[in-house]
Amino acid sequence: MKDLQMWYNGEFLNADQAQVSLLEHGLHYGTGVFEGIRCYETDKGPAVFRLGDHLARMVEGAKTMEMSFDVHAMHSAVLELLSRNKMTSAYIRPLAYFGGGYLGLDVHPLNVNVAVATLPWKSHLGDAASMKGTTMSVSKVRRNPASAMPPLKLCGGYVNSILAKLSATRKGFDEALFVDDDGRVCEATGENVFYVKNGDVFAVEHPDALAGITRNSVIELAGAQAVPTYMETLLDADEVFVTGTSAEVVGVSAIDDHEFGVGPVTRELAAAYQDVVHGRDSRKERWLTYVA
Ligand code: PMP
């Protein structure tokens, strides 16, 4: 970590030099927006997957808080940072948040700080998850409704995911599944949900769920149909899997006491996704931004 560089407000700094004040607004109230992006090794060198789409979603999140920042500078910073850190694969974390000087709730007087970190990759559901699948428990904590917190990557919104994840891990599950009061499936704490029935692939659609970029990619790869889904339909599926930048495509082996196998369609899509992100699928080259 010590030798890694990070980008902060236009400067490249050693990770241990980058410091912030204890009075940053974002630290107290979660008034920030972030992205989770990945860079993968390909035959043509490292490539960032759907960089423009991730940064566009970040700008959308910033707009909800009337926050503006230079997204072109951030785009360049991501690529230069990967090259300075000599990383061929990485997790990329851009962040924009309101700075210090005032702790009131009117954000207009505040400056915006921007940062990018590139970190060595560690799978977030665990490497074993891709092989044996992940387990989920239906969360008693409800998802932030879109009417209260837009489903974008706003920092403070993630406390909701964390509360749900804590209760799932306390029960011995890997992940929490958000289901609404009407029994409709929403998403997991950091992944979107899909299911397979009689060979057809369906993407769970819910207004409170993040419009995942992996979800969008897998819908295109699988020719999946996006549908609102009740919990009973999900439990009746042949296969269930989740998608996310960090999780990629991972089978769900159990939802509470209902067990699924990690099935053939999930395995096929997980492999197809790996081909895309590693630049082995020429039809999806447009999703890759090469570092050099
Ligand atoms: N839902 C939530 C709540 C998330 O945090 C994420 C991760 N960004 C996802 C879904 C999956 O989104 P993506 O495929 O864009 O990473």
Side-chain angles (χ1 to χ4, degrees):
M1 197 70 164
K2 208 163 155 256
D3 300 329
L4 273 187
Q5 290 205 335
M6 292 187 182
W7 181 79
Y8 185 57
N9 289 340
E11 282 183 80
F12 291 94
L13 302 169
N14 288 335
D16 56 357
Q17 289 175 326
Q19 296 194 337
V20 297
S21 145
L22 272 181
L23 292 178
E24 303 282 80
H25 204 267
L27 182 59
H28 290 257
Y29 302 123
T31 44
V33 59
F34 69 98
E35 266 305 325
I37 313 175
R38 279 177 77 170
C39 169
Y40 291 90
E41 211 161 346
T42 77
D43 281 349
K44 292 194 235 161
V48 182
F49 186 61
R50 300 192 69 169
L51 176 58
D53 295 316
H54 279 282
L55 293 180
R57 183 170 69 185
M58 190 170 167
V59 168
E60 207 189 323
K63 279 188 184 150
T64 66
M65 292 181 287
E66 297 185 25
M67 170 192 280
S68 59
F69 66 92
D70 184 347
V71 69
H72 302 291
M74 189 166 272
H75 188 283
S76 310
V78 165
L79 299 175
E80 173 149 9
L81 193 60
L82 287 165
S83 130
R84 283 179 179 242
N85 284 333
K86 299 186 176 54
M87 287 172 129
T88 51
S89 67
Y91 181 76
I92 305 162
R93 169 52 60 90
L95 172 69
Y97 66 96
F98 284 118
Y102 162 78
L103 283 177
L105 297 185
D106 174 9
V107 293
H108 291 114
L110 297 168
N111 67 304
V112 176
N113 292 319
V114 285
V116 180
T118 58
L119 304 168
W121 181 242
K122 194 170 159 287
S123 168
H124 112 169
L125 289 176
D127 283 328
S130 55
M131 311 301 285
K132 67 177 177 53
T134 189
T135 62
M136 299 203 293
S137 179
V138 173
S139 176
K140 285 204 171 67
V141 177
R142 291 295 187 229
R143 184 46 140 180
N144 296 315
S147 56
M149 174 75 84
L152 287 160
K153 293 189 75 76
L154 306 185
C155 298
Y158 275 78
V159 175
N160 178 231
S161 281
I162 289 161
L163 295 179
K165 183 113 180 175
L166 277 172
S167 84
T169 53
R170 265 198 302 268
K171 288 190 282 180
F173 291 86
D174 300 322
E175 246 301 14
L177 177 65
F178 288 111
V179 177
D180 71 16
D181 285 336
D182 298 327
R184 278 185 310 162
V185 182
C186 183
E187 62 178 337
T189 66
E191 302 86 34
N192 294 112
V193 181
F194 282 73
Y195 63 97
V196 182
K197 185 71 185 173
N198 299 327
D200 290 326
V201 183
F202 298 92
V204 171
E205 177 116 325
H206 195 289
D208 303 338
L210 183 77
I213 289 166
T214 320
R215 174 182 188 272
N216 173 276
S217 309
V218 170
I219 287 176
E220 191 172 314
L221 287 175
Q225 201 186 326
V227 284
T229 305
Y230 284 95
M231 196 55 206
E232 59 211 43
T233 307
L234 195 70
L235 293 178
D236 188 45
D238 302 326
E239 301 176 31
V240 175
F241 64 90
V242 291
T243 64
T245 295
S246 153
E248 301 176 315
V249 177
V250 175
V252 173
S253 56
I255 301 178
D256 290 308
D257 56 5
H258 188 107
E259 297 200 355
F260 301 90
V262 176
V265 178
T266 302
R267 287 181 196 282
E268 200 182 304
L269 284 169
Y273 184 74
Q274 289 303 315
D275 284 343
V276 169
V277 295
H278 289 283
R280 296 189 293 261
D281 183 341
S282 58
R283 299 166 305 164
K284 306 296 178 201
E285 274 278 312
R286 67 190 151 89
W287 285 340
L288 303 181
T289 302
Y290 291 95
V291 173

mmCIF file of all heavy atoms in Angstrom, residues 36 54 57 143 153 158 161 187-192 210-215 243-246, ligand 1:
data_model
loop_
_atom_site.group_PDB
_atom_site.id
_atom_site.type_symbol
_atom_site.label_atom_id
_atom_site.label_comp_id
_atom_site.label_asym_id
_atom_site.label_seq_id
_atom_site.Cartn_x
_atom_site.Cartn_y
_atom_site.Cartn_z
ATOM 1 N N GLY A 36 -17.240 1.816 -8.319
ATOM 2 C CA GLY A 36 -16.403 0.624 -8.201
ATOM 3 C C GLY A 36 -16.220 0.117 -9.615
ATOM 4 O O GLY A 36 -17.193 -0.228 -10.282
ATOM 5 N N HIS A 54 -19.380 3.880 -16.011
ATOM 6 C CA HIS A 54 -19.261 4.041 -14.551
ATOM 7 C C HIS A 54 -19.181 5.523 -14.184
ATOM 8 O O HIS A 54 -19.843 5.977 -13.244
ATOM 9 C CB HIS A 54 -18.026 3.303 -14.028
ATOM 10 C CG HIS A 54 -18.233 1.832 -13.839
ATOM 11 N ND1 HIS A 54 -18.901 1.327 -12.756
ATOM 12 C CD2 HIS A 54 -17.872 0.776 -14.600
ATOM 13 C CE1 HIS A 54 -18.935 -0.003 -12.850
ATOM 14 N NE2 HIS A 54 -18.317 -0.357 -13.965
ATOM 15 N N ARG A 57 -22.521 7.270 -14.458
ATOM 16 C CA ARG A 57 -23.402 6.988 -13.320
ATOM 17 C C ARG A 57 -22.972 7.813 -12.099
ATOM 18 O O ARG A 57 -23.807 8.288 -11.328
ATOM 19 C CB ARG A 57 -23.363 5.486 -13.011
ATOM 20 C CG ARG A 57 -24.296 5.080 -11.879
ATOM 21 C CD ARG A 57 -24.413 3.582 -11.762
ATOM 22 N NE ARG A 57 -23.178 2.961 -11.299
ATOM 23 C CZ ARG A 57 -23.002 1.638 -11.209
ATOM 24 N NH1 ARG A 57 -23.976 0.806 -11.562
ATOM 25 N NH2 ARG A 57 -21.847 1.152 -10.782
ATOM 26 N N ARG A 143 -34.686 -2.211 1.730
ATOM 27 C CA ARG A 143 -33.871 -1.366 0.861
ATOM 28 C C ARG A 143 -34.324 0.075 1.001
ATOM 29 O O ARG A 143 -35.538 0.338 1.129
ATOM 30 C CB ARG A 143 -34.062 -1.841 -0.598
ATOM 31 C CG ARG A 143 -33.224 -1.132 -1.625
ATOM 32 C CD ARG A 143 -31.892 -1.023 -1.172
ATOM 33 N NE ARG A 143 -30.748 -1.199 -1.981
ATOM 34 C CZ ARG A 143 -29.520 -1.069 -1.425
ATOM 35 N NH1 ARG A 143 -29.361 -0.804 -0.147
ATOM 36 N NH2 ARG A 143 -28.462 -1.224 -2.176
ATOM 37 N N LYS A 153 -24.858 5.517 -6.542
ATOM 38 C CA LYS A 153 -23.802 5.138 -5.597
ATOM 39 C C LYS A 153 -23.453 6.315 -4.672
ATOM 40 O O LYS A 153 -22.330 6.823 -4.655
ATOM 41 C CB LYS A 153 -22.591 4.581 -6.346
ATOM 42 C CG LYS A 153 -22.954 3.248 -7.022
ATOM 43 C CD LYS A 153 -21.778 2.538 -7.598
ATOM 44 C CE LYS A 153 -20.887 1.866 -6.603
ATOM 45 N NZ LYS A 153 -21.433 0.602 -6.054
ATOM 46 N N TYR A 158 -25.040 3.608 1.453
ATOM 47 C CA TYR A 158 -24.467 2.285 1.687
ATOM 48 C C TYR A 158 -24.566 1.817 3.130
ATOM 49 O O TYR A 158 -24.337 0.641 3.420
ATOM 50 C CB TYR A 158 -23.032 2.225 1.127
ATOM 51 C CG TYR A 158 -23.138 1.891 -0.344
ATOM 52 C CD1 TYR A 158 -23.483 2.863 -1.264
ATOM 53 C CD2 TYR A 158 -23.033 0.589 -0.783
ATOM 54 C CE1 TYR A 158 -23.682 2.554 -2.597
ATOM 55 C CE2 TYR A 158 -23.231 0.265 -2.109
ATOM 56 C CZ TYR A 158 -23.556 1.248 -3.014
ATOM 57 O OH TYR A 158 -23.769 0.918 -4.318
ATOM 58 N N SER A 161 -27.017 -0.897 2.997
ATOM 59 C CA SER A 161 -26.446 -2.177 2.564
ATOM 60 C C SER A 161 -25.664 -2.833 3.696
ATOM 61 O O SER A 161 -25.713 -4.051 3.896
ATOM 62 C CB SER A 161 -25.491 -1.972 1.387
ATOM 63 O OG SER A 161 -26.209 -1.824 0.184
ATOM 64 N N GLU A 187 -32.662 -6.393 -4.843
ATOM 65 C CA GLU A 187 -31.260 -6.652 -5.195
ATOM 66 C C GLU A 187 -30.551 -7.160 -3.956
ATOM 67 O O GLU A 187 -31.156 -7.257 -2.886
ATOM 68 C CB GLU A 187 -30.579 -5.375 -5.732
ATOM 69 C CG GLU A 187 -30.519 -4.239 -4.729
ATOM 70 C CD GLU A 187 -29.805 -2.981 -5.234
ATOM 71 O OE1 GLU A 187 -28.986 -3.057 -6.163
ATOM 72 O OE2 GLU A 187 -30.081 -1.903 -4.670
ATOM 73 N N ALA A 188 -29.277 -7.481 -4.092
ATOM 74 C CA ALA A 188 -28.466 -7.818 -2.925
ATOM 75 C C ALA A 188 -27.743 -6.535 -2.483
ATOM 76 O O ALA A 188 -27.982 -5.466 -3.039
ATOM 77 C CB ALA A 188 -27.504 -8.940 -3.283
ATOM 78 N N THR A 189 -26.870 -6.615 -1.483
ATOM 79 C CA THR A 189 -26.284 -5.375 -0.941
ATOM 80 C C THR A 189 -25.323 -4.715 -1.922
ATOM 81 O O THR A 189 -25.104 -3.517 -1.848
ATOM 82 C CB THR A 189 -25.543 -5.629 0.394
ATOM 83 O OG1 THR A 189 -24.413 -6.467 0.136
ATOM 84 C CG2 THR A 189 -26.449 -6.285 1.414
ATOM 85 N N GLY A 190 -24.758 -5.495 -2.829
ATOM 86 C CA GLY A 190 -23.821 -4.921 -3.795
ATOM 87 C C GLY A 190 -23.881 -5.638 -5.124
ATOM 88 O O GLY A 190 -22.930 -5.620 -5.902
ATOM 89 N N GLU A 191 -25.010 -6.311 -5.385
ATOM 90 C CA GLU A 191 -25.160 -7.041 -6.655
ATOM 91 C C GLU A 191 -26.620 -7.016 -7.088
ATOM 92 O O GLU A 191 -27.522 -6.927 -6.259
ATOM 93 C CB GLU A 191 -24.778 -8.535 -6.518
ATOM 94 C CG GLU A 191 -23.380 -8.841 -6.046
ATOM 95 C CD GLU A 191 -23.311 -8.852 -4.542
ATOM 96 O OE1 GLU A 191 -24.299 -9.251 -3.890
ATOM 97 O OE2 GLU A 191 -22.279 -8.442 -3.999
ATOM 98 N N ASN A 192 -26.820 -7.155 -8.380
ATOM 99 C CA ASN A 192 -28.170 -7.340 -8.937
ATOM 100 C C ASN A 192 -28.456 -8.836 -9.068
ATOM 101 O O ASN A 192 -27.533 -9.650 -9.085
ATOM 102 C CB ASN A 192 -28.277 -6.666 -10.312
ATOM 103 C CG ASN A 192 -28.153 -5.154 -10.208
ATOM 104 O OD1 ASN A 192 -27.174 -4.561 -10.664
ATOM 105 N ND2 ASN A 192 -29.141 -4.514 -9.631
ATOM 106 N N LEU A 210 -30.088 -0.510 -7.830
ATOM 107 C CA LEU A 210 -29.098 0.181 -8.667
ATOM 108 C C LEU A 210 -29.130 -0.406 -10.079
ATOM 109 O O LEU A 210 -29.234 -1.627 -10.244
ATOM 110 C CB LEU A 210 -27.689 -0.019 -8.069
ATOM 111 C CG LEU A 210 -26.565 0.724 -8.803
ATOM 112 C CD1 LEU A 210 -26.575 2.215 -8.457
ATOM 113 C CD2 LEU A 210 -25.207 0.138 -8.454
ATOM 114 N N ALA A 211 -29.051 0.472 -11.076
ATOM 115 C CA ALA A 211 -28.954 0.004 -12.462
ATOM 116 C C ALA A 211 -27.511 -0.448 -12.686
ATOM 117 O O ALA A 211 -26.632 0.327 -13.078
ATOM 118 C CB ALA A 211 -29.330 1.133 -13.417
ATOM 119 N N GLY A 212 -27.260 -1.696 -12.387
ATOM 120 C CA GLY A 212 -25.888 -2.227 -12.420
ATOM 121 C C GLY A 212 -25.347 -2.291 -13.844
ATOM 122 O O GLY A 212 -26.065 -2.621 -14.792
ATOM 123 N N ILE A 213 -24.073 -2.006 -13.939
ATOM 124 C CA ILE A 213 -23.415 -2.042 -15.256
ATOM 125 C C ILE A 213 -23.109 -3.491 -15.639
ATOM 126 O O ILE A 213 -23.214 -3.867 -16.806
ATOM 127 C CB ILE A 213 -22.177 -1.117 -15.216
ATOM 128 C CG1 ILE A 213 -22.704 0.329 -15.178
ATOM 129 C CG2 ILE A 213 -21.250 -1.342 -16.404
ATOM 130 C CD1 ILE A 213 -21.707 1.385 -14.812
ATOM 131 N N THR A 214 -22.815 -4.313 -14.673
ATOM 132 C CA THR A 214 -22.642 -5.748 -14.964
ATOM 133 C C THR A 214 -23.991 -6.334 -15.374
ATOM 134 O O THR A 214 -24.069 -7.145 -16.305
ATOM 135 C CB THR A 214 -22.114 -6.501 -13.723
ATOM 136 O OG1 THR A 214 -21.142 -5.685 -13.076
ATOM 137 C CG2 THR A 214 -21.509 -7.827 -14.103
ATOM 138 N N ARG A 215 -25.048 -5.931 -14.690
ATOM 139 C CA ARG A 215 -26.408 -6.386 -15.029
ATOM 140 C C ARG A 215 -26.706 -6.045 -16.486
ATOM 141 O O ARG A 215 -27.147 -6.892 -17.257
ATOM 142 C CB ARG A 215 -27.417 -5.701 -14.101
ATOM 143 C CG ARG A 215 -28.891 -5.962 -14.426
ATOM 144 C CD ARG A 215 -29.775 -5.172 -13.452
ATOM 145 N NE ARG A 215 -31.182 -5.505 -13.564
ATOM 146 C CZ ARG A 215 -32.032 -4.911 -14.407
ATOM 147 N NH1 ARG A 215 -31.604 -3.951 -15.205
ATOM 148 N NH2 ARG A 215 -33.299 -5.291 -14.440
ATOM 149 N N THR A 243 -24.939 -10.401 -10.066
ATOM 150 C CA THR A 243 -23.918 -9.744 -10.879
ATOM 151 C C THR A 243 -23.480 -8.441 -10.234
ATOM 152 O O THR A 243 -24.277 -7.732 -9.632
ATOM 153 C CB THR A 243 -24.459 -9.400 -12.283
ATOM 154 O OG1 THR A 243 -25.535 -8.447 -12.153
ATOM 155 C CG2 THR A 243 -24.959 -10.613 -13.030
ATOM 156 N N GLY A 244 -22.217 -8.120 -10.380
ATOM 157 C CA GLY A 244 -21.687 -6.847 -9.896
ATOM 158 C C GLY A 244 -20.245 -6.720 -10.341
ATOM 159 O O GLY A 244 -19.600 -7.726 -10.649
ATOM 160 N N THR A 245 -19.768 -5.510 -10.373
ATOM 161 C CA THR A 245 -18.382 -5.266 -10.783
ATOM 162 C C THR A 245 -17.432 -6.114 -9.952
ATOM 163 O O THR A 245 -16.506 -6.733 -10.463
ATOM 164 C CB THR A 245 -18.050 -3.774 -10.580
ATOM 165 O OG1 THR A 245 -18.883 -3.043 -11.468
ATOM 166 C CG2 THR A 245 -16.594 -3.477 -10.846
ATOM 167 N N SER A 246 -17.699 -6.111 -8.655
ATOM 168 C CA SER A 246 -16.800 -6.790 -7.769
ATOM 169 C C SER A 246 -17.066 -8.304 -7.751
ATOM 170 O O SER A 246 -16.149 -9.108 -7.875
ATOM 171 C CB SER A 246 -16.995 -6.098 -6.421
ATOM 172 O OG SER A 246 -16.717 -6.893 -5.397
HETATM 173 N N1 PMP B 1 -26.401 -3.026 -6.472
HETATM 174 C C1 PMP B 1 -25.688 -2.342 -5.572
HETATM 175 C C2 PMP B 1 -26.361 -1.806 -4.364
HETATM 176 C C3 PMP B 1 -24.304 -2.131 -5.771
HETATM 177 O O1 PMP B 1 -23.584 -1.449 -4.880
HETATM 178 C C4 PMP B 1 -23.691 -2.693 -6.915
HETATM 179 C C5 PMP B 1 -22.213 -2.530 -7.115
HETATM 180 N N2 PMP B 1 -21.915 -1.329 -7.768
HETATM 181 C C6 PMP B 1 -24.493 -3.390 -7.831
HETATM 182 C C7 PMP B 1 -25.840 -3.536 -7.577
HETATM 183 C C8 PMP B 1 -23.914 -3.908 -9.094
HETATM 184 O O2 PMP B 1 -23.592 -2.808 -9.928
HETATM 185 P P1 PMP B 1 -22.412 -2.875 -10.986
HETATM 186 O O3 PMP B 1 -22.656 -4.052 -11.826
HETATM 187 O O4 PMP B 1 -22.526 -1.594 -11.727
HETATM 188 O O5 PMP B 1 -21.141 -2.981 -10.223
#
